[in-house]
Amino acid sequence: MTTPLPGLDNALAGAVRWIETNLLVDTIRAVLPGTGEPVFNPDTGQVEYPSDTVLYEGPGAVQPATAQGDLVAIADANLPWTPETKSRYRLLTPLDSPDLPKDAQVTVIAVHNPARTGLLGRSWTCTDVTAAATVQAVKTTPLDQNRAGGTP
């Protein structure tokens, strides 16, 4: 008779705690941009745009993709495929965070170290849905950095 071994989720529990405590230390926000036409509000005299839908706001980390297969060598000017991914990143979120859909917009709204503000003011587009796996220690979502001063 064999003794059942603890499941992989139990075996990874320590790693999950370490990742959530030491790696997911910044605050991110993921939204689906509002859709539809802007509407004139006669009470305010302003044109109002549809509101974004907040999908997640909480702990996370944004990291550049570093694997050789994640690098893209496409020039991004004057080519017919300029919308292609040029600046790949990865979003890491806790296991209990929601899966994010393709085209959600991600921003870092607070950093753990005030001296490291390089991520503030940037935005990324989810290039695919959050990855799914039978065993995970953290959720990962592929991102493409939006161009400064522009829309995705």
Side-chain angles (χ1 to χ4, degrees), residues 129-144:
V129 298
T130 299
T134 56
V135 178
Q136 291 179 295
V138 66
K139 285 190 175 183
T140 60
T141 306
L143 301 175
D144 183 13

Side-chain angles (χ1 to χ4, degrees), residues 26-131:
D26 295 325
T27 304
I28 63 103
R29 177 182 294 141
V31 302
L32 273 180
T35 58
E37 296 295 319
V39 177
F40 178 74
N41 182 334
D43 296 334
T44 64
Q46 300 291 316
V47 174
E48 297 177 354
Y49 291 85
S51 298
D52 294 341
T53 301
V54 177
L55 302 172
Y56 174 74
E57 186 171 311
V62 174
Q63 298 181 329
T66 57
Q68 191 68 25
D70 287 341
L71 300 178
V72 177
I74 297 174
D76 67 3
N78 300 321
L79 294 175
W81 55 81
T82 55
E84 293 291 324
T85 299
K86 291 169 276 323
S87 186
R88 290 188 178 178
Y89 284 77
R90 253 186 314 258
L91 172 64
L92 306 178
T93 53
L95 292 176
D96 61 357
S97 66
D99 289 349
L100 300 176
K102 183 180 184 307
D103 297 327
Q105 299 297 301
V106 173
T107 55
V108 176
I109 59 173
V111 292
H112 70 285
N113 181 339
R116 296 184 181 165
T117 59
L119 292 176
L120 299 174
R122 295 185 190 190
S123 68
W124 295 264
T125 299
C126 296
T127 58
D128 205 347
V129 298
T130 299

